Amino acid sequence: MTARSFDRKNHEARPLEIIPDFTANADGSVLVSTGNTKVICTAFLEEKVPGFLKNKNQGWVTAEYGMLPGATHSRSNREAAKGRQQGRTVEIQRLIGRSLRACVNCEDLGERTITVDCDVIQADGGTRTAAITGGCLALYLCLWKHRKKYFVPPVVGRVVAVSLGIKDGEVLVDLDYAEDSSVDVDLNLVMTQDGRFVEIQGTAENKPFTRAEMDRVLAMGGDALDLTQKAQRQALLDYGVDESWIP
Amino acid sequence: MTARSFDRKNHEARPLEIIPDFTANADGSVLVSTGNTKVICTAFLEEKVPGFLKNKNQGWVTAEYGMLPGATHSRSNREAAKGRQQGRTVEIQRLIGRSLRACVNCEDLGERTITVDCDVIQADGGTRTAAITGGCLALYLCLWKHRKKYFVPPVVGRVVAVSLGIKDGEVLVDLDYAEDSSVDVDLNLVMTQDGRFVEIQGTAENKPFTRAEMDRVLAMGGDALDLTQKAQRQALLDYGVDESWIP
Amino acid sequence: MTARSFDRKNHEARPLEIIPDFTANADGSVLVSTGNTKVICTAFLEEKVPGFLKNKNQGWVTAEYGMLPGATHSRSNREAAKGRQQGRTVEIQRLIGRSLRACVNCEDLGERTITVDCDVIQADGGTRTAAITGGCLALYLCLWKHRKKYFVPPVVGRVVAVSLGIKDGEVLVDLDYAEDSSVDVDLNLVMTQDGRFVEIQGTAENKPFTRAEMDRVLAMGGDALDLTQKAQRQALLDYGVDESWIP
Amino acid sequence: MTARSFDRKNHEARPLEIIPDFTANADGSVLVSTGNTKVICTAFLEEKVPGFLKNKNQGWVTAEYGMLPGATHSRSNREAAKGRQQGRTVEIQRLIGRSLRACVNCEDLGERTITVDCDVIQADGGTRTAAITGGCLALYLCLWKHRKKYFVPPVVGRVVAVSLGIKDGEVLVDLDYAEDSSVDVDLNLVMTQDGRFVEIQGTAENKPFTRAEMDRVLAMGGDALDLTQKAQRQALLDYGVDESWIP
Amino acid sequence: MTARSFDRKNHEARPLEIIPDFTANADGSVLVSTGNTKVICTAFLEEKVPGFLKNKNQGWVTAEYGMLPGATHSRSNREAAKGRQQGRTVEIQRLIGRSLRACVNCEDLGERTITVDCDVIQADGGTRTAAITGGCLALYLCLWKHRKKYFVPPVVGRVVAVSLGIKDGEVLVDLDYAEDSSVDVDLNLVMTQDGRFVEIQGTAENKPFTRAEMDRVLAMGGDALDLTQKAQRQALLDYGVDESWIP
Amino acid sequence: MTARSFDRKNHEARPLEIIPDFTANADGSVLVSTGNTKVICTAFLEEKVPGFLKNKNQGWVTAEYGMLPGATHSRSNREAAKGRQQGRTVEIQRLIGRSLRACVNCEDLGERTITVDCDVIQADGGTRTAAITGGCLALYLCLWKHRKKYFVPPVVGRVVAVSLGIKDGEVLVDLDYAEDSSVDVDLNLVMTQDGRFVEIQGTAENKPFTRAEMDRVLAMGGDALDLTQKAQRQALLDYGVDESWIP
């Protein structure tokens, strides 16, 4: 078996780094790094809701995802210049949006929309899972900034995410780009702070996986994410978010 | 608990109906119905490959998905007229494409592309899973039609799919539209003929699910899909496909 | 002269088959077949009008046309994926829309829009004329379903359509695909139940036609369409539409 | 009956004015006016053919149509800014293209494409028919400019066009904008120099027309177009085009 | 040094020709020619403002620019058919819009929008500067037509424009197409009737220019534009615009 | 007069910070900050040229510009999601591209394309000028990385840029967002290391400027940019770029 980046064991995720307030203008802003993958996550709260929620006394959380053309080893096309988002982009931002909606009680939010933007500035695998872990933080910082608007925090959970792979029967946690390109099965897990699942997306173009492999994936992913959610919680506390605002 | 359509128990899928050669011009063609959901699946083999596979001695399998504006209870917009496919459409056709690529050995296929089109003519929930089960059949009929091109069948597996939901802690197999709109968790399972998983996509916007619930989903889904793959196999045999071509 | 499909004489149209309620969800639904050309026509009545008719006390009838990628002998591109409708598609759906508007009294319709979708599932020439004959049926079934909304049927006529060709001076009625590709002149005729014309579109890229040829086209087309409109009328009666609703 | 513009009888077309070489850069250029409708028609011959004609030893003729935003009484949207051509535009430019292809022998043309652009600078009804009459002239001037490339003129005919309307049973020739908005039936006729038809497009949204009305339309349209084709011929002679190049 | 078109000295602009009311339907219309460059400029006043000016008691002036496919020596693509405006077009129409907004007092204009369309029918260099000189005239004719709406003319200035080039150290005024393709520096100057600058856009892809060269450009450009603005003023007087309306 | 950010005099630019290798994957990468404006600039060298330069023995330099939705005080739309770049974006990236092409000798570059991406992660005015100063650095780092490909450095100059404004007759150097919104004249200056101009873009929607004001702008801008180009040079030396590679 080849050595893993950051000298990791199979069950270990890459080092997680969180820099809050990475940019100055958004309501919430975080640079999240998992190893060499770096994603800027920003969040804005706006006093409006999309058309399908007009006059329903509830809010909305949505997400958009992008990758700078310079983030990858060879330049990737600028989607704005091409005039359309790729299928992969659309799929990822829908995943992030669904995951973040699991954090918020939309009735408590009020008729407001929170938009979380996740823009990858350096890509080395796992950009969508880093975007979820970081996007949840940007969402919380955004709500915390607007805390005067709320009697009760309009939150019901926090989410963290990680990718896993199966290669020759072995489960690997938190794939970097080289691993991601070589595994038989690629799986993304989104979990809440209390160990429940929000999203499971596993795909096996090359080699379908067994129930037993799935069980190992869920167990190892759950353990890794438990560490991630603790780091996420600590980052919020360090920032000064009140404990009552952190599920 | 409310009664289920077709007088079903929680673990039962809707009646599956398969009409091969439903249309005359495509290389492979099937109308697949699961209850009131009806999807036309067609497949064409073309002697070309996409740009990224040029001169690599291998083929490609891809899928596209659409929904007739008249398929739903209230008219849905025609995507061609809007000038773009919705995010949901893109996500679904990528899922179908990945699932069908698990059926084929792309080296054995040769420098050819098989395109499978799945067009929903009547929608009542589970259109993407019906499209996978039917798309696999169209793919096989297409290859069978072109069998003279091959010494060995370029296939490695068959796929079938089903949706599952969790509602108030209970697992439901094969959701119709009304159920799909009311469950807490919505999960799609794509399985091979020998019980391995190709895709697992579970999403819980409203209420994250536990490991125990996940286990029940995988078990009940596996059982239901075993019946589906047997029906799929029988349809191929009835059509006259040689048993050596059916994994 | 080569034999014609379905062993037809020059003046004969292909067998017409009409299956009402082919799909379950639309307000009106028909599968219309002329020989090997098969088109699903659906209609919805919606309580709204387009912007240019706001507050004018009248309704609107419009049509959209599509072709499944699998409908043709070699796969045709999915327009939704390309991001635009072809010129041919636009031209056809405008023709269908104008033809169907000749069926309805827009003042009597009220501030409502009926949208008729014509989607070709199998193509063998004459898809636009089949779409008109079938679209008119879907429109009538839609209005009949909503008959409680009306004191007087908001209809003024029925339309049927057929294609004609001129080849080496001979007039052929109802061209199939092979004929359509080889004629000198291609003409589409849309007629009402009482023998008046709603649309005449003749085009002669290869060999302009004379006034005498035009006269024969109009005569033979008129005779063929008289049979078609009788079959269309009978289909409505068989369905149970009251005779007072059928011009 | 209301008076017609330019003090015309029902059977009379508006004054036709032809200014060749209206612009300097195109291979062929004409400003054509029919009454207050003014269209710039330009043509270019290029040494290339579209993909579907590669290596077939033949050429192609195509047309595009546009309307300046300032051409109409209230400003019309610029299609380039909207990012798509309207359905009406697409329909018109396809009609012009088909009509002009009837002028040319594509084998004699050689592997070349002639593109005719028809841009309306002032609109008062009948823009598409003026574009055909003028586009044919631009096409001929373009071929004449390149005459050294040809032993035999690659032409087989000339086309001219006119619109006709039926209003309260009366046939009107060459509708201006006000008439066009009020007739029951609107019909465009494209004819060759020898009185054969290339295109007939009649549409009757409001009031279907009878065979007898159609006969009168064809007769009156034919007479009017005979004058137009003579003026077109004279314009070519005046320009110095050799009589052997003018069918 | 090569001879310049129209037998000009370096400091001389090409002959300017102004034909007001060139087309009949717009509120203001002008054909402006500078040498062989010809641009139709039209203007409409509409009783509406863009969204960002709603309820601000002020109006807006905007411009759009286009080039007929037949305007250039080899045919240029029709942007409407391509489905997007080129970068060059966008840049030019933004320049024209900004320049024309310098003519008008938007508060005095009232809640109205003037849209000026500049469409090049013949191109020989300097199309954007001709568009500005002509667009200003169309704007004034449009306002003059609507003069009954105003107590005070809502204008604050007039603009004229010219291109300049630097070639081998020499400054050339009003470049034609051949010169434009060969100069080291290309500069556009937009000036008011009293010699102040509204826009300066200089670009030197090949050979950066010195401060001294810039000084000569500004001096020679200023002199040339002073003649242009006098001609522009005279054209308005000749048209019958009251002197009190002409700054 | 109001105080300026960073306690500046009118002639002073904001603090410039340059972080090379800010991201890891591009051939050249820089984070450039001017005050609170932060732009990631990356550059890639690719062994290909655009179509119009095929077989001409020369290379090309181009630039693209974007702004993260979270970069501004209120969220700006993601252009990729809207499906088109705004006019402002197109204008800016064309300006950056032209400016950077003044740095390179395209013949010496060989048949290669360098693409420079400038993505604003935090916006406070002057993003396009920061992008030029930083883009030039990314370009140089990219060439330095590929230095083994070259005998002679394929460079002819370096560019730096700054914005200037005129407010109530006073000239301000390096406008922040608040100033940018309130000046009468907004001007961008792109200069080479030896004090020559590559681009001058001045615009005065509100209040045209005089020749004397222009003179002051050029003088103060030149002085400020002389400091900037020295800092730019030092950054390249600090990085280890050989002096012979730095004009």
Side-chain angles (χ1 to χ4, degrees):
Chain A
M1 192 183 52
T2 42
R4 304 193 71 205
S5 62
F6 297 93
D7 202 21
R8 286 177 293 151
K9 301 277 184 356
N10 286 356
H11 70 280
E12 288 175 321
R14 290 175 289 178
L16 174 72
E17 193 182 357
I18 290 163
I19 306 180
D21 287 346
F22 183 69
T23 62
N25 295 332
D27 291 344
S29 165
V30 156
L31 178 76
V32 67
S33 311
T34 55
N36 291 318
T37 289
K38 290 171 193 287
V39 186
I40 298 178
C41 302
T42 55
F44 286 94
L45 182 151
E46 294 169 288
E47 299 285 339
K48 64 177 187 188
V49 287
F52 66 92
L53 286 181
K54 287 269 163 68
N55 303 315
K56 299 210 172 168
N57 274 319
Q58 67 169 101
W60 188 242
V61 174
T62 187
E64 289 186 2
Y65 170 92
M67 173 110 77
L68 295 199
T72 41
H73 279 87
S74 53
R75 183 175 183 272
S76 52
N77 283 323
R78 184 176 297 270
E79 293 180 326
K82 300 278 278 187
R84 64 195 302 174
Q85 293 179 300
Q86 298 177 67
R88 178 187 171 276
T89 298
V90 170
E91 196 175 272
I92 290 176
Q93 69 190 9
R94 286 169 59 87
L95 168 66
I96 302 172
R98 289 193 307 262
S99 298
L100 296 183
R101 277 192 288 279
C103 299
V104 168
N105 180 321
C106 283
E107 278 78 23
D108 289 350
L109 183 60
E111 293 210 349
R112 296 173 178 120
T113 296
I114 296 179
T115 305
V116 178
D117 287 284
C118 303
D119 286 276
V120 180
I121 63 171
Q122 193 174 289
D124 187 32
T127 63
R128 79 187 73 186
T129 50
I132 291 168
T133 303
C136 174
L137 280 161
L139 171 64
Y140 269 77
L141 296 188
C142 171
L143 283 170
W144 179 244
K145 180 178 169 192
H146 289 281
R147 62 191 174 277
K148 297 241 168 102
K149 293 196 169 79
Y150 296 102
F151 283 105
V152 278
V155 293
V156 295
R158 282 182 292 114
V159 292
V160 287
V162 74
S163 76
L164 296 111
I166 306 179
K167 190 178 177 177
D168 305 328
E170 280 191 272
V171 174
L172 303 177
V173 172
D174 193 14
L175 310 175
D176 61 23
Y177 180 72
E179 290 173 336
D180 191 36
S181 313
S182 69
V183 293
D184 303 312
V185 176
D186 180 12
L187 203 137
N188 294 291
L189 216 55
V190 184
M191 216 178 72
T192 57
Q193 79 288 347
D194 57 359
R196 288 175 299 146
F197 300 116
V198 172
E199 289 273 342
I200 294 180
Q201 290 203 342
T203 192
E205 289 196 21
N206 298 320
K207 205 161 142 189
F209 50 105
T210 62
R211 176 65 196 276
E213 287 170 328
M214 183 69 188
D215 285 347
R216 258 186 300 147
V217 161
L218 294 177
M220 284 171 68
D223 289 348
L225 286 176
D226 198 45
L227 295 176
T228 306
Q229 70 88 2
K230 278 173 184 149
Q232 190 192 57
R233 174 184 170 84
Q234 193 58 45
L236 290 172
L237 289 171
D238 292 350
Y239 188 84
V241 176
D242 193 275
E243 207 163 354
S244 70
W245 275 71
I246 309 173
Chain B
M1 196 182 53
T2 42
R4 304 192 70 204
S5 61
F6 297 93
D7 202 20
R8 288 178 290 152
K9 300 276 181 0
N10 285 357
H11 69 279
E12 289 176 322
R14 289 174 289 178
L16 174 72
E17 192 182 358
I18 291 163
I19 305 180
D21 287 346
F22 183 69
T23 62
N25 295 333
D27 291 343
S29 163
V30 155
L31 177 75
V32 66
S33 312
T34 54
N36 290 319
T37 289
K38 291 172 193 285
V39 187
I40 297 178
C41 303
T42 56
F44 286 94
L45 182 150
E46 294 170 289
E47 298 286 339
K48 65 176 188 190
V49 286
F52 67 91
L53 286 181
K54 286 269 162 68
N55 304 316
K56 300 209 173 168
N57 275 318
Q58 68 170 100
W60 187 240
V61 174
T62 187
E64 290 186 2
Y65 170 93
M67 174 111 76
L68 295 198
T72 41
H73 279 86
S74 54
R75 185 178 181 269
S76 52
N77 284 323
R78 184 176 295 270
E79 292 181 327
K82 299 277 278 187
R84 67 195 300 175
Q85 292 179 300
Q86 297 178 69
R88 177 185 171 276
T89 298
V90 170
E91 197 175 271
I92 290 176
Q93 71 189 9
R94 284 168 61 86
L95 169 66
I96 301 172
R98 289 193 308 262
S99 299
L100 296 183
R101 277 192 290 280
C103 299
V104 169
N105 180 321
C106 282
E107 278 79 22
D108 290 350
L109 184 59
E111 293 210 349
R112 296 172 179 123
T113 297
I114 297 179
T115 305
V116 177
D117 287 285
C118 302
D119 287 276
V120 180
I121 63 172
Q122 193 174 291
D124 187 31
T127 64
R128 78 188 73 186
T129 50
I132 290 168
T133 302
C136 174
L137 280 162
L139 172 65
Y140 268 77
L141 296 188
C142 171
L143 283 170
W144 179 243
K145 180 178 169 192
H146 289 281
R147 62 191 174 277
K148 296 241 168 103
K149 294 199 168 74
Y150 296 101
F151 282 105
V152 278
V155 293
V156 295
R158 283 182 291 113
V159 292
V160 286
V162 75
S163 77
L164 296 111
I166 306 179
K167 190 179 179 177
D168 305 327
E170 281 192 271
V171 174
L172 304 177
V173 172
D174 193 14
L175 310 174
D176 61 23
Y177 179 73
E179 290 172 337
D180 191 37
S181 315
S182 69
V183 293
D184 302 312
V185 177
D186 181 11
L187 203 136
N188 293 292
L189 217 55
V190 184
M191 216 179 74
T192 57
Q193 80 288 347
D194 57 0
R196 288 176 299 145
F197 300 115
V198 172
E199 288 272 342
I200 295 181
Q201 291 203 341
T203 192
E205 288 197 23
N206 299 320
K207 206 163 144 187
F209 51 105
T210 62
R211 176 66 195 275
E213 287 171 328
M214 183 69 188
D215 285 346
R216 257 185 300 147
V217 162
L218 293 176
M220 284 171 70
D223 289 348
L225 285 176
D226 198 46
L227 296 176
T228 307
Q229 71 87 1
K230 279 175 183 147
Q232 190 193 56
R233 174 186 170 84
Q234 193 57 49
L236 290 171
L237 289 171
D238 292 350
Y239 188 83
V241 176
D242 192 275
E243 207 162 356
S244 70
W245 275 70
I246 308 173
Chain C
M1 193 183 52
T2 42
R4 303 193 70 204
S5 61
F6 298 94
D7 202 22
R8 286 178 292 151
K9 300 277 180 2
N10 286 357
H11 70 280
E12 289 175 321
R14 290 175 287 179
L16 174 71
E17 192 182 357
I18 292 164
I19 306 179
D21 287 346
F22 183 69
T23 62
N25 295 333
D27 291 344
S29 163
V30 155
L31 178 74
V32 67
S33 313
T34 54
N36 290 319
T37 289
K38 291 172 193 284
V39 186
I40 298 179
C41 304
T42 56
F44 286 94
L45 183 150
E46 294 169 289
E47 299 286 338
K48 64 178 187 189
V49 287
F52 65 92
L53 286 181
K54 287 269 162 68
N55 303 316
K56 299 209 173 168
N57 275 317
Q58 69 171 98
W60 188 241
V61 173
T62 188
E64 290 187 2
Y65 170 92
M67 173 110 77
L68 295 199
T72 41
H73 278 88
S74 53
R75 184 178 182 270
S76 52
N77 283 323
R78 184 176 296 270
E79 293 181 325
K82 300 277 279 188
R84 66 195 300 173
Q85 292 179 300
Q86 298 178 68
R88 177 186 171 276
T89 299
V90 169
E91 196 174 272
I92 291 176
Q93 70 190 8
R94 285 168 60 87
L95 169 67
I96 302 172
R98 288 193 308 262
S99 299
L100 297 182
R101 276 193 289 280
C103 299
V104 168
N105 180 321
C106 283
E107 278 79 23
D108 290 350
L109 184 58
E111 293 210 348
R112 297 172 177 122
T113 296
I114 296 179
T115 305
V116 177
D117 287 284
C118 303
D119 286 274
V120 180
I121 63 172
Q122 191 173 290
D124 187 32
T127 62
R128 78 188 72 186
T129 50
I132 291 168
T133 303
C136 174
L137 280 161
L139 172 66
Y140 268 78
L141 296 189
C142 170
L143 283 170
W144 178 244
K145 181 180 168 191
H146 289 282
R147 62 191 173 278
K148 296 241 169 101
K149 293 197 170 78
Y150 296 101
F151 283 105
V152 278
V155 292
V156 294
R158 284 182 290 115
V159 291
V160 287
V162 75
S163 76
L164 295 111
I166 306 178
K167 190 177 178 178
D168 305 327
E170 279 192 89
V171 175
L172 304 177
V173 172
D174 193 14
L175 311 175
D176 62 24
Y177 179 72
E179 291 172 335
D180 191 37
S181 314
S182 68
V183 292
D184 303 311
V185 177
D186 181 12
L187 204 138
N188 294 291
L189 216 54
V190 183
M191 215 179 72
T192 57
Q193 78 289 346
D194 56 359
R196 287 176 299 144
F197 301 115
V198 172
E199 289 271 343
I200 294 180
Q201 290 203 341
T203 193
E205 288 196 23
N206 299 321
K207 205 161 143 189
F209 51 105
T210 62
R211 177 64 197 277
E213 287 171 328
M214 184 68 189
D215 285 346
R216 260 186 299 147
V217 162
L218 293 177
M220 284 171 69
D223 288 348
L225 286 176
D226 197 46
L227 295 176
T228 308
Q229 70 88 2
K230 278 175 185 149
Q232 190 193 57
R233 175 186 169 84
Q234 193 58 47
L236 290 171
L237 289 171
D238 292 350
Y239 188 84
V241 176
D242 192 276
E243 206 162 356
S244 69
W245 275 71
I246 309 173
Chain D
M1 195 182 52
T2 42
R4 303 192 71 204
S5 61
F6 297 93
D7 202 22
R8 286 179 291 153
K9 300 277 181 0
N10 286 358
H11 69 280
E12 290 176 318
R14 290 175 289 178
L16 174 71
E17 193 182 357
I18 291 164
I19 305 180
D21 287 346
F22 184 68
T23 61
N25 296 333
D27 291 343
S29 164
V30 155
L31 177 75
V32 67
S33 312
T34 54
N36 291 317
T37 289
K38 291 171 193 286
V39 186
I40 298 178
C41 303
T42 56
F44 287 94
L45 181 151
E46 294 170 290
E47 298 286 338
K48 65 177 188 189
V49 287
F52 66 91
L53 286 182
K54 286 269 162 67
N55 304 316
K56 300 209 173 168
N57 274 318
Q58 69 169 99
W60 188 240
V61 174
T62 187
E64 290 186 4
Y65 170 93
M67 173 111 76
L68 295 198
T72 40
H73 278 87
S74 52
R75 184 177 182 269
S76 52
N77 284 322
R78 184 176 297 271
E79 292 181 327
K82 300 277 280 188
R84 66 194 300 175
Q85 292 179 299
Q86 297 178 67
R88 178 186 171 277
T89 298
V90 170
E91 197 174 272
I92 290 176
Q93 70 190 8
R94 286 168 59 87
L95 169 65
I96 302 172
R98 289 193 307 262
S99 298
L100 296 182
R101 277 192 289 280
C103 299
V104 169
N105 179 321
C106 283
E107 278 78 23
D108 291 348
L109 184 59
E111 292 210 349
R112 298 174 177 118
T113 296
I114 296 178
T115 305
V116 178
D117 287 284
C118 303
D119 286 275
V120 180
I121 64 172
Q122 192 172 293
D124 187 31
T127 64
R128 78 188 72 186
T129 50
I132 290 168
T133 302
C136 175
L137 280 162
L139 171 65
Y140 268 76
L141 296 189
C142 171
L143 282 170
W144 179 244
K145 181 179 168 192
H146 290 280
R147 60 190 174 278
K148 297 240 169 103
K149 294 198 169 78
Y150 296 101
F151 283 105
V152 279
V155 293
V156 295
R158 283 183 291 116
V159 292
V160 287
V162 73
S163 76
L164 296 112
I166 306 178
K167 189 177 177 178
D168 305 328
E170 279 191 272
V171 175
L172 303 177
V173 172
D174 193 15
L175 310 175
D176 61 23
Y177 180 72
E179 290 173 337
D180 191 37
S181 315
S182 68
V183 293
D184 302 312
V185 177
D186 180 13
L187 203 137
N188 294 292
L189 216 54
V190 184
M191 215 178 75
T192 57
Q193 80 288 347
D194 57 359
R196 287 175 300 145
F197 300 116
V198 173
E199 289 272 341
I200 294 179
Q201 290 203 343
T203 192
E205 289 196 22
N206 299 319
K207 205 161 142 188
F209 51 104
T210 63
R211 177 67 196 276
E213 287 170 328
M214 183 67 188
D215 285 346
R216 259 185 300 147
V217 161
L218 294 176
M220 284 170 70
D223 289 346
L225 286 176
D226 197 46
L227 295 176
T228 306
Q229 71 86 3
K230 278 174 184 149
Q232 192 192 55
R233 174 185 170 84
Q234 193 57 47
L236 290 171
L237 289 171
D238 292 349
Y239 188 83
V241 176
D242 193 276
E243 207 162 356
S244 69
W245 275 70
I246 309 173
Chain E
M1 195 181 54
T2 42
R4 303 193 69 203
S5 61
F6 297 94
D7 201 22
R8 287 178 291 152
K9 300 277 180 2
N10 285 357
H11 69 280
E12 289 176 320
R14 290 174 288 178
L16 174 72
E17 194 182 356
I18 291 163
I19 305 180
D21 287 347
F22 184 69
T23 62
N25 295 333
D27 290 344
S29 163
V30 156
L31 177 76
V32 66
S33 312
T34 55
N36 290 319
T37 289
K38 290 170 193 286
V39 187
I40 298 178
C41 304
T42 55
F44 286 94
L45 182 151
E46 294 170 288
E47 300 285 339
K48 64 177 188 189
V49 287
F52 66 92
L53 286 181
K54 287 269 163 68
N55 303 317
K56 299 210 171 167
N57 273 319
Q58 67 170 100
W60 188 240
V61 174
T62 188
E64 290 186 3
Y65 170 93
M67 174 111 76
L68 295 199
T72 42
H73 278 86
S74 53
R75 184 176 182 271
S76 52
N77 284 323
R78 185 176 295 271
E79 294 182 324
K82 300 277 278 187
R84 66 194 301 175
Q85 293 178 300
Q86 297 178 68
R88 178 186 170 276
T89 298
V90 170
E91 197 175 271
I92 290 176
Q93 70 190 8
R94 285 168 59 86
L95 168 67
I96 302 172
R98 289 193 307 262
S99 299
L100 297 181
R101 278 193 288 280
C103 300
V104 169
N105 179 320
C106 283
E107 278 79 23
D108 290 350
L109 184 59
E111 293 210 347
R112 297 173 177 120
T113 296
I114 296 179
T115 305
V116 177
D117 287 284
C118 302
D119 286 275
V120 180
I121 63 171
Q122 192 175 291
D124 187 32
T127 63
R128 78 188 73 185
T129 51
I132 291 168
T133 303
C136 174
L137 280 162
L139 171 64
Y140 269 77
L141 297 188
C142 171
L143 283 170
W144 179 244
K145 180 179 169 192
H146 289 282
R147 63 190 173 277
K148 297 243 171 98
K149 292 196 169 80
Y150 296 101
F151 283 105
V152 279
V155 292
V156 294
R158 284 181 290 115
V159 291
V160 286
V162 74
S163 77
L164 295 111
I166 306 179
K167 188 177 178 179
D168 304 329
E170 279 192 273
V171 175
L172 303 176
V173 172
D174 193 13
L175 311 174
D176 62 23
Y177 180 71
E179 290 173 336
D180 191 37
S181 314
S182 69
V183 293
D184 302 311
V185 177
D186 181 12
L187 204 137
N188 294 292
L189 216 56
V190 184
M191 215 177 73
T192 57
Q193 79 289 347
D194 56 359
R196 287 177 299 145
F197 300 117
V198 172
E199 288 273 341
I200 294 181
Q201 289 204 342
T203 191
E205 288 197 21
N206 299 321
K207 205 159 144 190
F209 50 105
T210 63
R211 176 66 195 276
E213 287 171 328
M214 184 68 188
D215 285 346
R216 259 186 300 149
V217 161
L218 294 176
M220 284 171 69
D223 289 349
L225 286 176
D226 198 46
L227 295 176
T228 307
Q229 71 88 1
K230 279 174 184 151
Q232 193 192 55
R233 175 185 169 84
Q234 193 58 46
L236 290 171
L237 289 171
D238 292 350
Y239 188 84
V241 176
D242 193 275
E243 206 162 355
S244 69
W245 274 71
I246 310 173
Chain F
M1 194 181 56
T2 42
R4 302 193 71 204
S5 62
F6 297 95
D7 202 20
R8 287 178 291 152
K9 300 277 182 354
N10 285 357
H11 70 281
E12 290 177 321
R14 291 175 288 179
L16 174 72
E17 194 182 358
I18 291 163
I19 305 180
D21 287 346
F22 183 69
T23 62
N25 295 334
D27 291 342
S29 163
V30 155
L31 177 74
V32 66
S33 311
T34 54
N36 290 319
T37 288
K38 290 170 194 284
V39 186
I40 297 178
C41 304
T42 56
F44 286 94
L45 183 150
E46 293 170 289
E47 299 285 340
K48 65 176 187 189
V49 287
F52 66 92
L53 287 181
K54 287 267 163 69
N55 303 316
K56 300 210 172 169
N57 274 318
Q58 68 170 98
W60 188 241
V61 174
T62 187
E64 290 186 3
Y65 169 93
M67 173 111 76
L68 296 199
T72 41
H73 279 87
S74 53
R75 183 176 183 272
S76 52
N77 283 323
R78 183 176 297 271
E79 292 181 326
K82 298 278 280 188
R84 67 194 298 174
Q85 293 179 299
Q86 297 178 67
R88 178 188 171 275
T89 298
V90 169
E91 196 175 272
I92 290 176
Q93 70 190 8
R94 284 168 61 86
L95 169 66
I96 302 172
R98 288 193 308 261
S99 299
L100 296 182
R101 277 193 288 280
C103 299
V104 168
N105 180 320
C106 282
E107 279 78 25
D108 290 349
L109 184 59
E111 292 211 348
R112 296 172 178 121
T113 296
I114 297 179
T115 306
V116 177
D117 287 284
C118 303
D119 286 275
V120 180
I121 64 172
Q122 193 174 290
D124 187 31
T127 63
R128 78 187 74 184
T129 50
I132 290 168
T133 303
C136 175
L137 281 161
L139 171 64
Y140 268 77
L141 296 187
C142 170
L143 283 171
W144 179 244
K145 181 178 168 192
H146 289 282
R147 61 189 175 278
K148 296 240 170 103
K149 294 197 168 77
Y150 296 102
F151 284 104
V152 279
V155 292
V156 294
R158 284 182 290 115
V159 292
V160 287
V162 73
S163 76
L164 295 111
I166 306 179
K167 190 178 178 178
D168 304 329
E170 280 192 90
V171 174
L172 304 176
V173 172
D174 192 15
L175 311 174
D176 61 23
Y177 180 72
E179 290 172 337
D180 191 38
S181 314
S182 69
V183 292
D184 303 311
V185 177
D186 181 11
L187 202 137
N188 294 292
L189 215 55
V190 183
M191 215 179 73
T192 57
Q193 80 288 347
D194 57 359
R196 287 177 299 145
F197 300 116
V198 172
E199 289 272 340
I200 294 181
Q201 290 203 342
T203 192
E205 289 196 22
N206 299 320
K207 206 162 141 188
F209 50 106
T210 63
R211 176 66 196 276
E213 287 171 330
M214 184 68 189
D215 286 346
R216 260 187 297 147
V217 160
L218 293 177
M220 285 171 69
D223 289 348
L225 285 177
D226 197 46
L227 296 175
T228 307
Q229 71 86 3
K230 280 175 183 148
Q232 191 193 56
R233 175 184 169 84
Q234 194 57 48
L236 290 171
L237 289 172
D238 292 350
Y239 188 84
V241 176
D242 192 275
E243 206 162 355
S244 69
W245 275 70
I246 309 173

